[in-house]
């Protein structure tokens, strides 16, 4: 459908043009709106560690050039002719998986396995832009009490953490280890408490992040200089020698995967979320069989989990004030600097792009 007369025809977007090179600011057409789509004016878009992998070429992005950004929140400014459950003016955050909605996986609520699914900012244009068009079902209403930048970050770091804890079957009374106190970890700490965890331990090497984790209710564990075995012993020292029921690995390193697995108690569940392409050596008896432990992969999240998260945030059970610590304009130099810092593990907890901000 044609854009409203007041809408501009062109917009700014920060795009990946060539892997291994800085992202670039370009002027492109405002996306068209199909009958089942909505057009969203982007108010906030997160910068995720996955974007570092995309820029570096470690994870394939196509077609190029492509607008990055899979953590997006904003206002609906146009709706397609067949859209009746969303309206202009709605505050929304965006489910980043664009799916068919009809295949067996989609119908069963396993949309991350949709064979034609496309991830925003990875295989279809994302939200590092002034506007983005998505199917209306991808637009999750954002409560008025939740800031746009919090809504954006919830679309990846918070939702991924919730899905991982669900995969781990986290239940009331469980002791939970969160390995990695970054953006995902800060959400995982709060969500674990909401799911009834009796105790949450946060393992990291950054004293500032550990201090924030402690303010959010976690027991901090500094693992600087500790290998997986020594780190697991430190976890056991905090749990009367037992270990944890659930360990969530959010870093993407072989040693942190082993730390998570070696830290679980008998019948414990270690869930791996962090991206890692290095083989991890596992002692099948000591690490798995002897304790009947489980090593579980967790991929993406589900649309229904996003609505659960927005409800948590609306009632103050998920607070991201101290997580979203940095904001930048829709500017290629500023965004590349954040990506550089993330790659060097010296970035703030979470950075969002605010397209309306002055450059």
């Amino acid at each position: 459908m044609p854009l409203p007369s007041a809408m501009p025809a062109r917009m700014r977007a920060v795009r990946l043009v060539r892997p291994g090179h800085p992202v670039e600011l370009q002027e492109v057409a405002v996306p068209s709106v199909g009958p089942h789509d909505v057009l969203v004016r982007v108010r906030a878009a997160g910068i995720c560690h996955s974007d570092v992998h995309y820029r570096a070429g470690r994870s394939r992005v196509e077609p190029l050039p492509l607008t990055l950004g899979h953590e997006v929140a904003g206002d609906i400014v146009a709706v397609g002719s067949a859209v009746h459950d969303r309206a202009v003016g709605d505050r929304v955050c965006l489910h980043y998986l664009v799916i068919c909605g009809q295949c067996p996986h989609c119908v069963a609520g396993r949309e991350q396995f949709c064979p034609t699914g496309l991830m925003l900012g990875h295989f279809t244009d994302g939200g590092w832009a002034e506007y983005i068009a998505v199917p209306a079902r991808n637009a999750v209403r954002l409560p008025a009490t939740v800031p746009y930048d919090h809504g954006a970050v919830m679309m990846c770091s918070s939702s991924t953490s919730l899905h991982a804890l669900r995969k781990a079957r986290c239940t009331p009374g469980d002791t939970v280890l969160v390995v990695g106190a970054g953006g995902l970890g800060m959400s995982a700490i709060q969500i674990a408490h909401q799911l009834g965890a009796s105790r949450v331990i946060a393992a990291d090497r950054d004293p500032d992040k550990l201090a924030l984790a402690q303010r959010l209710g976690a027991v901090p564990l500094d693992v600087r200089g500790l290998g997986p075995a020594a780190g697991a012993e430190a976890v056991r020292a905090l749990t009367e020698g037992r270990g944890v029921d659930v360990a969530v690995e959010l870093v993407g390193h072989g040693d942190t995967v082993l730390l998570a697995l070696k830290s679980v108690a008998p019948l414990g569940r270690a869930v791996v979320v962090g991206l890692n392409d290095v083989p991890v050596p596992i002692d099948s008896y000591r690490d798995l069989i002897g304790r009947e432990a489980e090593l579980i992969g967790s991929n993406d999240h589900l649309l229904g989990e996003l609505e659960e998260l927005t409800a948590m945030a609306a009632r103050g059970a998920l607070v991201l004030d101290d997580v979203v610590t940095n904001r930048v304009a829709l500017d290629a130099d500023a965004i590349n600097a954040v990506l550089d810092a993330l790659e060097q593990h010296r970035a703030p907890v979470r950075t969002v792009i605010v397209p309306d901000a002055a450059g």
Side-chain angles (χ1 to χ4, degrees), residues 1-5 33 78:
M1 65 173 289
L3 297 174
S5 58
V33 182

Side-chain angles (χ1 to χ4, degrees), residues 91 142-151 154 309-310 313-315:
R91 302 175 83 249
L142 183 65
T145 55
V146 181
Y148 291 108
D149 48 7
H150 294 191
M154 285 194 297
L309 282 172
T310 58
R315 67 175 185 265

Side-chain angles (χ1 to χ4, degrees), residues 64-212:
L64 294 177
L66 190 87
T67 303
L68 299 186
H70 56 274
E71 303 178 348
V72 189
D75 301 316
I76 293 179
V77 294
V79 300
S81 57
V83 176
H84 306 294
D85 58 351
R86 298 291 185 273
V88 171
D90 284 354
R91 302 175 83 249
V92 294
C93 42
L94 305 185
H95 183 30
Y96 66 52
L97 294 175
V98 179
I99 60 172
C100 73
Q102 300 173 344
C103 70
H105 286 303
C106 288
V107 171
R110 303 185 299 263
E111 62 260 30
Q112 70 269 52
F113 302 117
C114 175
T116 62
L118 299 173
M119 181 178 176
L120 297 180
H122 196 184
F123 296 116
T124 187
D125 281 329
W128 291 2
E130 293 179 281
Y131 297 92
I132 182 174
V134 296
R137 65 170 165 257
N138 285 69
V140 178
R141 288 186 177 87
L142 183 65
T145 55
V146 181
Y148 291 108
D149 48 7
H150 294 191
V153 168
M154 285 194 297
M155 294 301 95
C156 178
S157 62
S158 302
S159 57
T160 300
S161 296
L162 173 60
H163 187 68
L165 287 163
R166 292 288 190 205
K167 288 285 292 182
R169 307 188 302 281
C170 181
T171 55
D174 280 350
T175 299
V176 175
L177 171 66
V178 175
V179 182
L184 279 80
M186 299 307 174
S187 288
I189 291 165
Q190 298 179 71
I191 294 167
H193 283 304
Q194 287 300 304
L195 297 179
S198 62
R199 195 179 195 192
V200 180
I201 300 167
D204 204 287
R205 298 181 299 177
D206 186 321
D208 293 334
K209 291 178 179 177
L210 287 171
L212 175 54

